[in-house]
Amino acid sequence: MSEFLKFLSTYEALIYIVLAIGALFSFRWLYRSWSEWRVAVFSLEREFSSRRLGRSALISALITVMFCFEFFVASFVIPGLPSDFFLTTPTLDLISTPTGTLSPELLTQIANQPQAAQPNAAGCTPGQIELIFPEPGDEIRGVIELTGTVNIPNFGFYKYEVAPNGSTAWATIAAGRTVVIEGSLGRWDTTALTPGDYQLRLVVVDNQGLELSPCVVPVQVLPNQ
């Protein structure tokens, strides 16, 4: 169902054009069939004209129904769907995957160690696909507001995902369908995650379903207070 609705949304303009061309020919056929039926004199001629009139009326009605269906779905159904309805990425349950916790003593030792080199973001394109907050290496806890930019030609939708550091099992957090320029991308509740190092990535998909190179930012989730 999601693929069907995505098709209707992506090719809305093309569908209208095809239906308009079909309607032009079908209504022209309907008018000619009606004119022939109206002036038919002989019974056999009138019967043939009646059949053509019925077929042309059926096709014209079908095109009208398809046009109304496309208009209703594109104008009322799709805008009312949640932003993550078209996502096909499976969601990983990070809560059910124990990764272990660090003891207070070990956390203290780590905190007293010399700071390592600041990690960098990867794949980000300033002004197009960019995470402004959190920044690479930020320590976060609780519920945070993600800010950034998603502004590409032929924009479709964006989503942001998380995975433990070094893992490729990405879990979708949420998504959006509007262009954002240095603004809020959504919220991220980290309270259910085990404290540790994670990767946060911002993925943008164009209106043809092509997924662009994501912006990946390493962060550290701290224990809740």
Side-chain angles (χ1 to χ4, degrees):
M1 177 60 73
S2 62
E3 292 297 327
F4 176 65
L5 293 179
K6 182 179 180 180
F7 174 82
L8 294 181
S9 176
T10 302
Y11 300 101
E12 178 182 359
L14 180 61
I15 292 174
Y16 283 139
I17 293 174
V18 172
L19 290 177
I21 295 175
L24 179 65
F25 284 98
S26 66
F27 284 118
R28 180 185 178 188
W29 184 25
L30 176 63
Y31 176 77
R32 293 180 61 181
S33 299
W34 177 76
S35 299
E36 292 176 1
W37 175 80
R38 187 181 60 175
V39 299
V41 177
F42 302 103
S43 59
L44 186 59
E45 180 184 7
R46 194 173 184 84
E47 181 180 352
F48 287 154
S49 300
S50 177
R51 291 178 181 177
R52 286 195 294 269
L53 178 61
R55 287 194 295 267
S56 60
L58 179 61
I59 295 176
S60 300
L62 180 60
I63 292 177
T64 302
V65 170
M66 293 173 63
F67 184 91
C68 294
F69 177 77
E70 169 65 23
F71 177 79
F72 177 78
V73 171
S75 301
F76 300 101
V77 176
I78 293 178
L81 294 175
S83 58
D84 60 347
F85 180 80
F86 296 108
L87 297 180
T88 57
T89 304
T91 301
L92 173 68
D93 187 0
L94 295 177
I95 304 176
S96 63
T97 306
T99 57
T101 57
L102 300 177
S103 65
E105 293 79 7
L106 187 55
L107 286 174
T108 303
Q109 295 177 11
I110 295 176
N112 292 331
Q113 291 179 354
Q115 293 293 327
Q118 183 72 11
N120 298 319
C124 303
T125 304
Q128 293 186 346
I129 307 175
E130 182 181 15
L131 273 170
I132 299 175
F133 177 80
E135 296 181 345
D138 275 357
E139 297 178 343
I140 58 177
R141 61 160 51 94
V143 181
I144 64 171
E145 189 84 16
L146 304 182
T147 59
T149 295
V150 285
N151 182 25
I152 64 168
N154 302 318
F155 172 77
F157 69 93
Y158 70 87
K159 58 184 177 180
Y160 46 97
E161 304 175 320
V162 64
N165 193 29
S167 171
T168 57
W170 294 97
T172 300
I173 303 170
R177 298 186 62 203
T178 58
V179 171
V180 179
I181 301 177
E182 296 184 355
S184 174
L185 298 171
R187 297 165 66 87
W188 179 21
D189 185 0
T190 68
T191 57
L193 300 180
T194 301
D197 294 326
Y198 289 86
Q199 304 172 82
L200 175 66
R201 76 175 183 178
L202 175 63
V203 181
V204 180
V205 181
D206 65 17
N207 57 14
Q208 301 299 318
L210 177 62
E211 185 175 296
L212 280 69
S213 178
C215 175
V216 183
V217 173
V219 296
Q220 183 180 17
V221 176
L222 300 180
N224 297 318
Q225 294 182 339

